């Protein structure tokens, strides 16, 4: 299989050259569909990470001095450039991750949507806010938003472009620099996006790319950051959170999920089937918010299962660089082996495979069939652990309370989906689920794509949030500038404190009645 025509040796040399690296070590980037080597990706060492921070801090001082309107102008040009070059990004993503082209293109749209949102919202979010001060009329207090400095951003391989550029966008518009560590398996498409930012007029050095394994450079990345944004596994998130805490810097951790979907008895199965197939198998199941557990009432389980299996078996799985396939490859042989191990463990312990369950070496080294199981028991890996592949399981329930209890029986709380004809009733069920994102009559896109609303996880699914006002404000420090127009706060030396206490109490009571304090 030949690479897309846009992925030339000249482009690959340019992109690998954007990594800050003096180590001489490289990582072999392979085309997932074939396993063939594509490029040697330079690897960074701790000294390189420190150099990256130094360069980013120098550029950030210039960038932060620009008026917000000028910074937004850069992002408007970036938005237009990405509109024109999005399919090149999709080409690179497919080469590196093996995802279907439809998914790769949609991922570029996420960055476009986030950029557009913050271009419009940033002036309001970052605007200074003046309040009445401690003493009415003679004092004021003003909130001033200042950029943190340089953000350490660690992005995963499953949605590399979105979790790199979309998470960097509010940080950059707010005036920060970024040291970005994409996963080795998915750096090229990210570097291309950073190149577009520079083409749009971003100061040289503002976004630095470092590459390497977490144990090698992760600690240095965190200890030099003014804020940390991480998307990845819960296990790694715990380590990064602890490191950030030791250095007294804030962090956002978007972690794993074991996401449930509940089908209520009055749900329209035509809509449920189509939505559930998408939610379970998009990006080959490699999405933190994808559905791994499906709960259907005993009354409708047989009908749902029959129709769902028909739809799953119709999923088109191929290794091509066009829009024909519904589903592509897993990201690597290692990930395929992990998914396969979960399925084999379930089978060995009594689970029933309704469809799929096997790798597809005829398509490529990391392909795995869309898989549906049932008869899952608590001792199976599939019951509790995040599988992160094209695998989902069907569970029966007898009443809604039982379905909610089973949905909440997990350490995770990232996403949940509820389907029902009575939308108010379905929403009421959704609000009882312990998850940061609740989708009614949708699997996951309705909540994630709502860029005006904050999105985060409960329990072991994360700390902090992205999107919405909070998604930008977290990258800022707030400065309280208080002004006293007349000195009324100090007391003379001969103050009668008995009278002063009585006077203060009366004043506070009066201000409360007026709604002032």
């Amino acid at each position: 299989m030949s690479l897309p025509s846009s992925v030339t040796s000249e482009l690959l040399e340019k992109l690998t050259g954007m990594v800050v690296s003096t180590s001489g070590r490289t990582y072999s980037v392979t085309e997932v569909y074939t396993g063939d080597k594509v490029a040697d990706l330079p690897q960074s060492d701790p000294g390189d990470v420190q150099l990256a921070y130094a360069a980013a801090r120098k550029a950030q001082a210039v960038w932060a001095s620009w008026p917000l309107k000028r910074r937004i102008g850069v992002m408007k040009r970036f938005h237009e450039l990405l509109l024109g070059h999005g399919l090149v990004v999709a080409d690179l993503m497919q080469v590196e991750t093996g995802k279907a082209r439809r998914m790769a293109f949609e991922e570029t749209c996420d960055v476009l949507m986030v950029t557009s949102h913050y271009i419009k919202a940033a002036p309001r979010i970052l605007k200074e806010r003046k309040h009445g001060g401690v003493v009415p009329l003679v004092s004021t207090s003003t909130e001033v938003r200042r950029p943190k400095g340089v953000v350490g951003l660690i992005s995963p391989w499953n949605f590399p472009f979105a979790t790199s550029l979309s998470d960097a966008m509010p940080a950059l518009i707010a005036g920060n620099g970024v040291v970005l560590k994409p996963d080795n398996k998915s750096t090229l498409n990210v570097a291309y996006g950073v190149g577009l930012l520079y083409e749009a007029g971003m100061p040289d050095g503002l976004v630095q790319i470092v590459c390497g394994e977490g144990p090698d450079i992760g600690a240095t990345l965190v200890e030099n950051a003014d804020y940390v944004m991480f998307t990845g596994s819960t296990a790694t998130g715990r380590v990064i959170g602890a490191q950030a805490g030791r250095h007294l810097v804030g962090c956002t951790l978007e972690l794993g999920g074991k996401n449930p979907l509940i089908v209520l008895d009055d749900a329209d199965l035509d809509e449920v089937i189509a939505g559930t197939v998408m939610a379970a198998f998009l990006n080959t199941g490699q999405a933190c918010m994808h559905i791994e557990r499906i709960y259907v009432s005993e009354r409708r389980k047989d009908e749902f299962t029959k129709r769902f299996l028909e739809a799953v078996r119709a999923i088109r799985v191929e290794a091509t660089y066009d829009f024909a396939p519904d589903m592509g490859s897993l990201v690597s042989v290692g990930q395929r082996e992990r998914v396969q191990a979960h399925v084999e463990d379930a089978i060995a312990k009594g689970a029933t495979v309704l469809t799929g369950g096997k790798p597809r070496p005829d398509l490529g080294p990391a392909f795995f069939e869309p898989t549906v199981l049932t008869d899952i028991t608590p001792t199976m890996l599939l019951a509790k652990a995040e599988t992160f592949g094209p695998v989902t399981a069907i569970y029966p329930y007898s009443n809604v309370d039982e379905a909610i209890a089973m949905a909440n029986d997990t350490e995770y709380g990232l996403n949940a989906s509820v389907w029902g004809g009575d939308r108010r009733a379905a929403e009421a069920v959704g609000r009882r689920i312990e998850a940061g994102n609740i989708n009614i009559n949708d699997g996951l896109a309705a909540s994630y794509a709502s860029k005006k609303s904050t999105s985060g996880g409960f329990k072991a699914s994360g700390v902090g949030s992205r999107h919405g006002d909070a998604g930008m404000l977290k990258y800022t420090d707030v400065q309280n500038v208080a002004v006293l127009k007349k000195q009324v706060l100090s007391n003379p030396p001969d103050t009668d404190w008995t009278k002063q206490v009585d006077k203060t109490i009366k004043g506070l009571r009066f201000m409360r009645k007026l709604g002032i304090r």
Side-chain angles (χ1 to χ4, degrees):
M1 176 182 291
S2 59
L3 296 176
S5 60
S6 68
V7 184
T8 63
S9 57
E10 291 79 12
L11 177 62
L12 293 172
E13 183 177 358
K14 175 185 176 181
L15 298 178
T16 56
M18 294 174 67
V19 179
V20 181
S21 174
T22 60
S23 70
R25 294 179 293 105
T26 60
Y27 171 90
S28 294
V29 179
T30 60
E31 181 188 27
V32 175
Y33 291 154
T34 62
D36 296 338
K37 182 177 174 179
V38 172
D40 289 316
L41 183 71
Q43 297 292 279
S44 309
D45 59 25
D48 295 320
V49 176
Q50 292 175 334
L51 289 172
Y53 271 103
R57 290 193 191 285
K58 183 177 179 180
Q60 188 268 335
V62 175
W63 176 246
S65 73
W66 290 8
L68 177 59
K69 184 176 181 180
R70 185 178 177 185
R71 297 199 298 267
I72 287 175
V74 172
M75 298 315 169
K76 287 180 178 178
R77 292 189 291 274
F78 166 74
H79 188 276
E80 187 60 33
L81 286 168
L82 183 53
L83 283 171
H85 295 79
L87 290 180
V88 179
V89 177
D91 286 339
L92 289 164
M93 266 196 282
Q94 282 197 275
V95 170
E96 294 182 278
T97 70
K99 64 178 62 188
R101 190 166 189 78
R102 301 177 194 177
M103 194 73 255
F105 173 71
E106 288 183 10
E107 188 170 341
T108 68
C109 294
D110 182 87
V111 177
L112 289 164
M113 292 169 65
V114 168
T115 302
S116 182
H117 167 68
Y118 284 115
I119 283 173
K120 181 179 180 181
R124 173 185 58 79
I125 296 172
L126 299 175
K127 182 180 180 180
E128 292 187 6
R129 287 169 169 77
K130 182 174 285 189
H131 309 285
V134 60
V135 181
L137 302 179
V138 298
S139 64
T140 62
S141 178
T142 304
E143 293 180 40
V144 179
R145 289 288 170 176
R146 300 182 57 164
K148 288 281 188 182
V150 178
V151 175
L153 200 162
I154 305 169
S155 63
W157 47 258
N158 61 322
F159 285 98
F161 197 71
T163 53
S164 296
L165 278 297
S166 291
D167 284 340
M169 188 54 57
L172 291 169
I173 293 177
N176 295 281
V178 173
V179 173
L180 172 59
K181 191 192 90 65
D183 190 276
N184 278 331
K185 294 186 284 297
S186 53
T187 295
L188 301 178
N189 67 89
V190 175
Y192 187 89
V194 173
L196 293 181
L197 283 169
Y198 282 120
E199 188 176 341
M202 189 176 69
D204 288 345
L206 187 65
V207 177
Q208 299 282 315
I209 299 174
V210 295
C211 290
E213 299 299 331
D216 298 329
I217 62 173
T220 307
L221 189 73
V222 173
E223 69 187 17
N224 284 275
D226 299 304
Y227 191 88
V228 178
M229 175 71 216
F230 169 77
T231 304
S233 72
T234 296
T236 303
R238 294 183 196 278
V239 174
I240 291 173
Q243 291 174 338
R246 283 197 296 272
H247 295 285
L248 298 179
V249 297
C251 64
T252 294
L253 310 171
E254 203 265 38
L255 309 176
K258 191 70 177 177
N259 308 300
L261 180 149
I262 297 175
V263 183
L264 299 176
D265 277 347
D266 64 343
D268 181 335
L269 284 190
D270 289 338
E271 295 183 356
V272 174
I273 298 301
T276 305
V277 168
M278 188 279 290
F281 299 106
L282 87 164
N283 205 45
T284 320
Q286 299 167 125
C288 296
M289 293 175 67
H290 99 111
I291 297 300
E292 295 199 4
R293 298 179 291 147
I294 302 171
Y295 296 99
V296 188
S297 73
E298 294 166 349
R299 293 172 292 282
R300 302 200 75 182
K301 183 190 175 188
D302 290 346
E303 179 188 8
F304 171 87
T305 301
K306 177 178 180 296
R307 296 182 59 182
F308 183 59
L309 293 178
E310 290 172 353
V312 172
R313 290 168 182 145
I315 293 174
R316 184 171 177 177
V317 185
E318 286 186 55
T320 69
Y321 288 103
D322 57 41
F323 287 100
D326 302 304
M327 196 181 94
S329 173
L330 288 162
V331 72
S332 66
V333 171
Q335 184 62 18
R336 190 260 298 158
E337 289 173 344
R338 170 191 167 88
V339 171
Q340 188 173 348
H342 278 212
V343 172
E344 290 176 349
D345 172 78
I347 293 171
K349 294 174 180 176
T352 301
V353 176
L354 300 176
T355 190
K358 299 185 294 297
R360 288 291 303 274
D362 55 311
L363 297 176
F367 278 83
F368 198 83
E369 295 177 325
T371 299
V372 182
L373 301 97
T374 192
D375 302 321
I376 304 299
T377 61
T379 62
M380 301 173 186
L381 290 173
L382 267 169
K384 301 293 184 182
E386 184 180 35
T387 301
F388 219 62
V391 179
T392 193
I394 299 174
Y395 302 77
Y397 69 84
S398 58
N399 58 65
V400 172
D401 288 342
E402 182 186 21
I404 294 170
M406 290 191 294
N408 287 333
D409 185 20
T410 174
E411 69 170 328
Y412 297 108
L414 186 59
N415 179 49
S417 172
V418 181
W419 296 75
D422 183 337
R423 287 192 297 275
R424 287 188 179 182
E427 184 176 343
V429 171
R431 287 173 181 264
R432 294 174 62 190
I433 300 176
E434 299 161 353
N437 298 275
I438 304 296
N439 292 271
I440 307 302
N441 292 336
D442 184 71
L444 54 87
S447 63
Y448 188 82
S450 300
K451 306 306 181 187
K452 293 182 180 180
S453 297
T454 301
S455 173
F458 288 7
K459 299 189 285 190
S461 285
V463 174
S465 56
R466 56 161 58 100
H467 302 158
D469 291 6
M472 174 169 277
L473 290 175
K474 70 186 183 185
Y475 293 125
T476 68
D477 286 320
V478 61
Q479 187 177 53
N480 183 350
V481 180
V483 177
L484 192 63
K485 301 174 185 178
K486 179 178 175 60
Q487 182 51 257
V488 294
L489 294 180
S490 60
N491 295 290
D494 59 348
T495 297
D496 183 333
W497 280 99
T498 300
K499 292 181 180 180
Q500 182 65 26
V501 168
D502 183 62
K503 180 181 176 181
T504 300
I505 290 172
K506 288 179 179 178
L508 290 170
R509 182 175 288 120
F510 180 69
M511 286 190 290
R512 174 82 292 278
K513 287 181 178 179
L514 293 180
I516 296 173
R517 187 73 66 249

